[in-house]
C-alpha cells in the first residue's frame, strides 16, 4: 500500500501522458487483432507471461528464473513470426491512409445499389446461392486471378445468369470493382474463426465462411445469398449481418456507396488502419 501511495505521489503530467500513450497503443493492437485467430494466441501469451512473471519472482526457484530469462529474447523474436499476417495487414492499411476520403466503394452509388438489391432479392426468391464481393481500397487481385476474367459492366440480368445453378460460373464468388465485374467463380479465403463458423442453429456454409474470411483479410463488402433458405447476409470488417430484408440491404449498401462525409482526420485514420471497425455510418444503420 505504501508503494502505491509512493507511485501516485511522484506521478506528474508527463507520467500521465506516458501511461495514456501506452494504453492507446495496446488498445489499437487489440482492435487490429479483433475477430482473428491471433486474439486467442494473444490471450494465451499474456496468460503465460503473467504466470511466468509470478513464478520467476519467487526466490526459491533460481534455476527456473534463469531458464525464463534466457529464453525470453527468443520468445520476443517469435512474436513477429506468429502474428505475421496481422502485422502485414496493419502495415498495409497504414500505407493506404493517404487516400482516406475514398474509403467508400467506387462507382455511381444509386445505380449500383439498385442493381445489386434487385439481383440479390431475385436470387433470394429463387434460392440461388450467390457470393458477391465489392472491392474497396484493399486490392483483391490475387483472388481475381483464381477466377474467370470478365471485365463486364454489372447488371441484374448478368448476375442472375452467373449464379444460375449448374452453369460454369455459378460456383465461387464474383468480384466487383466500381461498376465492373472483374471476375467470376473466384476462390475466396475461408474464415477460421470457430465462434463465428458454428451456431446453435446450423453450421455456417462455405459461401458464408468465404464472405466472412474475405472481410477478415480485406476491407471488402460481401453479399451472400443462402442456397438452402434464400436468406440474405452481408459481411464487413470480420462481422456478418444475417437475414436482411430488401430495404435493410439497400440501406446498408447506400451507406457504403454514398460520398464520404468530411470527418476528423484522426478518426478517419483509425478507421482505415483498424480492420475490426465498421464505419460509424453503418453502425447507425444497424
Amino acid at each position: 500500500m505504501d508503494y502505491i501511495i509512493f507511485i501516485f505521489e511522484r506521478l506528474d503530467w508527463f507520467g500521465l501522458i506516458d501511461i495514456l500513450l501506452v494504453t492507446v497503443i495496446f488498445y489499437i493492437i487489440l482492435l487490429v487483432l479483433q475477430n482473428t485467430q491471433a486474439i486467442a494466441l494473444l490471450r494465451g501469451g499474456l496468460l503465460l507471461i503473467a504466470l511466468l512473471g509470478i513464478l520467476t519472482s519467487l526466490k526459491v526457484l533460481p534455476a527456473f528464473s534463469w531458464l525464463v530469462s534466457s529464453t525470453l529474447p527468443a520468445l520476443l523474436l517469435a512474436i513477429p513470426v506468429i502474428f505475421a499476417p496481422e502485422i502485414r495487414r496493419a502495415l498495409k492499411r497504414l500505407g493506404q491512409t493517404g487516400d482516406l476520403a475514398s474509403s467508400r466503394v467506387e462507382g455511381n452509388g444509386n445505380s449500383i445499389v439498385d442493381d445489386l438489391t434487385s439481383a440479390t432479392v431475385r436470387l433470394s426468391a429463387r434460392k440461388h446461392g450467390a457470393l458477391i464481393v465489392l472491392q474497396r481500397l484493399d486490392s483483391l487481385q490475387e483472388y481475381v486471378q483464381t477466377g474467370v476474367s470478365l471485365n463486364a459492366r454489372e447488371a441484374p440480368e448478368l448476375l442472375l445468369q452467373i449464379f444460375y445453378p449448374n452453369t460454369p460460373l455459378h460456383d465461387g464468388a464474383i468480384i466487383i470493382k466500381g461498376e465492373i465485374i472483374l471476375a467470376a467463380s473466384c476462390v475466396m479465403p475461408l474464415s477460421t474463426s470457430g465462434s463465428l463458423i458454428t451456431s446453435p442453429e446450423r453450421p455456417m456454409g462455405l459461401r458464408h465462411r468465404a464472405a466472412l474470411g474475405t472481410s477478415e483479410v480485406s476491407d471488402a463488402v460481401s453479399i451472400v445469398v443462402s442456397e438452402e433458405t434464400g436468406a440474405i447476409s452481408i459481411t464487413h470488417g470480420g462481422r456478418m449481418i444475417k437475414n436482411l430484408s430488401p430495404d435493410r440491404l439497400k440501406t446498408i449498401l447506400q451507406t457504403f456507396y454514398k460520398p464520404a462525409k468530411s470527418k476528423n482526420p484522426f478518426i478517419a485514420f483509425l478507421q482505415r488502419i483498424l480492420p475490426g471497425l465498421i464505419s460509424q455510418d453503418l453502425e447507425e444503420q444497424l
Side-chain angles (χ1 to χ4, degrees):
M1 187 66 181
D2 293 337
Y3 180 70
I4 297 177
I5 295 175
F6 174 75
I7 292 176
F8 277 103
E9 288 178 347
R10 295 179 59 86
L11 193 62
D12 55 11
W13 284 107
F14 290 103
L16 289 174
I17 294 174
D18 189 26
I19 294 173
L20 179 61
L21 288 176
V22 173
T23 303
V24 169
I25 289 173
F26 274 98
Y27 179 71
I28 291 176
I29 291 174
L30 290 174
L31 284 179
V32 169
L33 301 180
Q34 186 179 18
N35 293 326
T36 68
Q37 284 185 305
I39 195 65
L41 293 173
L42 182 61
R43 283 198 298 263
L46 292 176
L47 180 62
L48 180 61
I49 292 173
L51 182 60
L52 292 177
I54 294 173
L55 292 176
T56 53
S57 64
L58 300 177
K59 303 298 183 181
V60 294
L61 301 173
F64 182 79
S65 300
W66 171 84
L67 179 63
V68 172
S69 60
S70 300
T71 57
L72 187 59
L75 292 176
L76 293 177
L77 290 176
I79 290 176
V81 177
I82 297 174
F83 297 114
E86 286 74 22
I87 294 174
R88 183 169 59 250
R89 184 183 175 196
L91 291 177
K92 179 181 177 182
R93 290 178 177 274
L94 185 62
Q96 293 174 337
T97 54
D99 195 13
L100 296 174
S102 60
S103 61
R104 306 284 177 174
V105 187
E106 299 175 359
N108 184 351
N110 293 332
S111 174
I112 297 177
V113 168
D114 290 341
D115 288 350
L116 288 175
T117 303
S118 173
T120 303
V121 171
R122 291 160 70 179
L123 288 168
S124 173
R126 302 173 186 181
K127 293 186 178 180
H128 290 177
L131 175 54
I132 303 171
V133 179
L134 310 177
Q135 178 175 312
R136 304 175 79 200
L137 282 182
D138 292 347
S139 174
L140 300 177
Q141 186 59 34
E142 60 180 302
Y143 306 112
V144 170
Q145 295 174 353
T146 65
V148 178
S149 179
L150 293 181
N151 289 318
R153 187 180 180 86
E154 57 81 29
E157 293 75 17
L158 180 56
L159 296 178
L160 291 172
Q161 182 59 42
I162 290 174
F163 289 114
Y164 192 84
N166 300 322
T167 55
L169 301 180
H170 88 284
D171 202 13
I174 66 169
I175 299 177
I176 299 178
K177 180 181 180 182
E179 301 177 358
I180 303 299
I181 301 176
L182 299 180
S185 193
C186 299
V187 179
M188 310 306 293
L190 299 180
S191 173
T192 56
S193 178
S195 60
L196 296 174
I197 293 172
T198 58
S199 67
E201 301 175 356
R202 59 164 59 92
M204 188 178 293
L206 287 178
R207 282 193 181 89
H208 292 79
R209 288 182 60 187
L212 196 59
T214 302
S215 73
E216 291 171 350
V217 301
S218 71
D219 63 348
V221 179
S222 299
I223 305 171
V224 191
V225 178
S226 172
E227 191 172 351
E228 296 181 1
T229 65
I232 302 171
S233 305
I234 196 167
T235 65
H236 176 258
R239 303 181 186 181
M240 175 174 290
I241 314 165
K242 297 182 179 181
N243 301 320
L244 294 174
S245 65
D247 290 339
R248 197 175 179 205
L249 172 65
K250 185 174 183 178
T251 299
I252 293 175
L253 290 177
Q254 287 173 337
T255 301
F256 283 110
Y257 275 99
K258 71 182 179 181
K261 300 176 182 178
S262 59
K263 61 176 68 176
N264 188 304
F266 178 70
I267 300 299
F269 172 80
L270 289 181
Q271 289 182 340
R272 278 297 305 129
I273 67 172
L274 301 181
L277 291 180
I278 296 182
S279 66
Q280 183 179 359
D281 293 332
L282 182 59
E283 292 270 3
E284 294 174 355
Q285 298 297 337
L286 302 184

